[in-house]
């Protein structure tokens, strides 16, 4: 392969001098090359080929047991001025970081191959696409990137001799937790990741580029990179309205993006289409609306809980060409299993750690008895998704009617509420909170503030990021309406009150009706909530109008308690909290009385 881009060539050479691989292989995007890599990975045990009759093109991979999720504590934003990374991010001086990590990278690819992956976030050659090169010594990473992004020779061609590509360097090194670093240099368009082999730490196009670096670029260039799904609701008359929703990791984006409408809507001809399940790049269109495009080409979805009832579309998407990571290996069938797939755990099986697994010892309350890791995942092609939107390949994306924020809250946050306007909606995003999940290392189930579901993903100061939200609102003449949802309110026994999953469509329909001015609402201290009778509960067994009343009720006392925590968080974000946000906070406090 002839590499015309001189910047790419010299950077690859420089990184090879540092890491010293035995050989360098350029990834061209061809099926023949991918197949060759799969064979090599099978030979070393890195990948296990699954039953090709039941799961054609599917493979299983297990990561190291100490390497199963993003590591926020070891993720750094390296800007010249500490203030530009802000108080919420970990910061390191760029020179110090390059120096420190260079020592770890030095010679780390000896005896290994360096793969050069030219990839595009967005449609190759389109105005909104951005290009990156990831260098990695992991075949698993190459095979995942081939699914998650658009990869190969055509990307190099589209890059021409441009120097503005994102330079990503990944080395597995020894998968040493103590020396694991995920570092971003937004001023240099550079990402350095070392000592991990897991998902968001190493598929550098995803969280590192499409969120952290892209959010930085978006602020500079006047657009937004957000942790959002994109879905379309098609009405019986053929018209489609689009919604973007930001929920924290493992809080329901993939599920909502692929939802199957309940019978009351399906029978009338409503359909839901998935444009994206994790990341949205948003721009103001010439028509004055906000447009969203999904820069990815596949789904890196949570396996546990995915089943024929909760998310049949996701399940079908994983039936071919899929890489499963850290799920149970069913040895009798050479297939895969995870908690919540069905009620038939395999008797002869290997757990995610690679040990013989005895399902009879499985105890729901003790995560250490799980067969699949709670953050086990599937990497599947968007093209294999039965409900993929026809607009998926549209480089401009889709016009957005509503933005929805949401978290996992047992109490406080109602099923749904609407903000008063863009500024208030941005404030609603800034005070989002959610219980932590297995998607990141650390405690699970602790409520923490996670503004716009972007706490781990903003590549600069959080206050500046909020200001960017406020400023963007002023540039969108026909801005989407902003809402907040919570599918996770629980009763006194800890059971979810709202059925969730496909039935979330009932809430989306209220949201869209609000956008079109077709339904009234009740004004409360926190925003507009639905009248109970305006949430369609036809066909729901355990939900009555009283249930809805309970779900949309505002508990003033718990909101006042939350206020104290919000103020603490604002103080932590620090000096750059926009005046508009402070104004909104004071107004909320006043309304709560
Ligand atoms: P990331 O890929 O980490 O960004 O996660 P995500 O936001 O795409 O979350 P996902 O859709 O994979 O859901 C995570 C977990 O939440 C799964 O175990 C789901 O079964 C569960 N879940 C999703 N939607 C709902 C819902 O409406 N109600 C309830 N109770 N659980 C849900
Ligand atoms: C998330 O944690 O939000 C994910 C998975 O989507 S990862 O790619 O690991 O970040
Ligand atoms: Mn995510």
């Amino acid at each position: 392969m002839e590499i015309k881009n001189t910047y790419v060539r010299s950077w690859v050479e420089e990184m090879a001098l540092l890491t010293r691989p035995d050989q360098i292989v350029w990834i061209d995007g061809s099926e023949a090359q991918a197949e060759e890599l799969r064979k090599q990975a099978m030979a070393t045990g890195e990948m296990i080929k699954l039953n090709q009759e039941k799961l054609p093109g599917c493979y299983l991979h297990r990561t190291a047991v100490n390497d199963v999720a993003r590591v926020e504590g070891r993720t750094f934003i390296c800007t010249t001025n500490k203030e530009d990374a802000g108080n919420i991010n970990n910061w390191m001086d760029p020179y110090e970081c390059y120096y420190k990590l260079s020592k770890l990278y030095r010679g780390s690819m000896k005896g290994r191959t360096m793969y050069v992956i030219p990839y595009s976030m967005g449609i190759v050659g389109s105005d909104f696409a951005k290009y990156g090169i990831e260098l990695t010594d992991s075949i698993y990473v190459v095979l995942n990137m081939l699914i998650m992004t658009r990869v190969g020779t055509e990307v190099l061609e589209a890059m021409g001799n441009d120097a503005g590509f994102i330079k990503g360097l990944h080395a597995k090194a020894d998968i040493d937790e103590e020396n694991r670093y995920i570092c971003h240099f937004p001023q240099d368009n550079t990402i350095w990741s070392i000592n991990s082999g897991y998902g968001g730490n190493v598929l550098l196009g995803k969280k590192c580029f499409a969120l952290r670096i892209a959010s930085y670029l978006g602020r500079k260039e006047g657009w937004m990179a957000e942790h959002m799904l994109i879905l379309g609701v098609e009405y019986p008359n053929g018209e489609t309205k689009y919604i973007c929703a930001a929920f924290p990791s493992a809080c329901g984006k993939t599920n909502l993006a692929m939802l199957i409408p309940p019978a009351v809507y399906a029978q009338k001809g409503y359909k839901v289409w998935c444009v994206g399940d994790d990341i949205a790049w948003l721009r103001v269109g010439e028509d004055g609306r906000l447009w969203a495009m999904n820069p990815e080409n596949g789904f890196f979805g949570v396996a546990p809980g995915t089943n024929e009832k909760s998310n049949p579309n996701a399940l079908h998407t994983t039936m071919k060409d899929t890489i499963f990571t850290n799920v149970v290996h069913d040895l009798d069938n050479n297939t895969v299993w995870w908690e919540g797939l069905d009620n038939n755990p395999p008797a002869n099986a290997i757990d995610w750690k690679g040990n013989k697994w005895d399902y009879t010892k499985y105890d729901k309350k003790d995560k250490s008895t799980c067969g699949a890791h709670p953050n086990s995942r599937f990497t599947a092609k968007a093209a294999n998704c039965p409900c993929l939107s026809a607009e998926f390949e549209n480089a401009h994306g889709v016009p957005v009617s509503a933005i929805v924020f949401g978290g996992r809250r047992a109490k406080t946050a109602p099923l749904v509420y609407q903000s008063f306007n863009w500024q208030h909606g941005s404030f609603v995003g800034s005070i989002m909170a959610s219980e932590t999940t297995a998607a990141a290392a650390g405690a699970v189930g602790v409520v923490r503030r996670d503004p716009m579901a972007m706490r781990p993903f903003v590549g600069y100061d959080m206050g500046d990021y909020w200001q960017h939200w406020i400023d963007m609102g002023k540039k969108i003449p026909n801005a989407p309406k902003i809402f907040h949802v919570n599918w996770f309110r629980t009763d006194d026994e800890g059971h979810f009150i709202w059925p969730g999953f496909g039935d979330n469509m009932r809430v989306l329909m209220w949201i869209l009706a609000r956008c079109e001015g077709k339904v009234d609402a009740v004004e409360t201290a926190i925003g507009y909530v639905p009248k109970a009778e305006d949430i369609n509960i036809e066909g729901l067994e355990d939900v009555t109008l009283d249930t809805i009343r309970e779900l949309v009720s505002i508990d003033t006392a718990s909101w006042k308690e939350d206020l104290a925590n919000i103020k603490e968080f604002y103080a932590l974000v620090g000096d750059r909290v926009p005046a508009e946000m402070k104004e909104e906070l004071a107004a909320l406090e006043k309304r709560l009385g």
Side-chain angles (χ1 to χ4, degrees), residues 359-377:
Y359 73 89
T360 61
K361 303 235 168 74
Y362 171 61
D363 171 6
K364 229 181 170 166
K365 284 177 224 108
D366 179 2
K367 289 284 179 209
S368 72
T369 63
C370 278
H373 188 274
N375 192 37
S376 55
R377 301 246 168 190

Side-chain angles (χ1 to χ4, degrees), residues 200-216:
N201 299 333
V202 299
L203 307 179
L204 301 185
K206 197 173 177 59
K207 296 298 161 58
C208 300
F209 176 174
L211 287 180
R212 297 194 190 97
I213 299 284
S215 64
Y216 177 92

Side-chain angles (χ1 to χ4, degrees), residues 301-316:
V302 177
T306 308
N307 61 51
E308 203 48 72
K309 203 165 159 270
S310 65
N311 195 347
N313 281 322
L315 200 59
H316 291 188

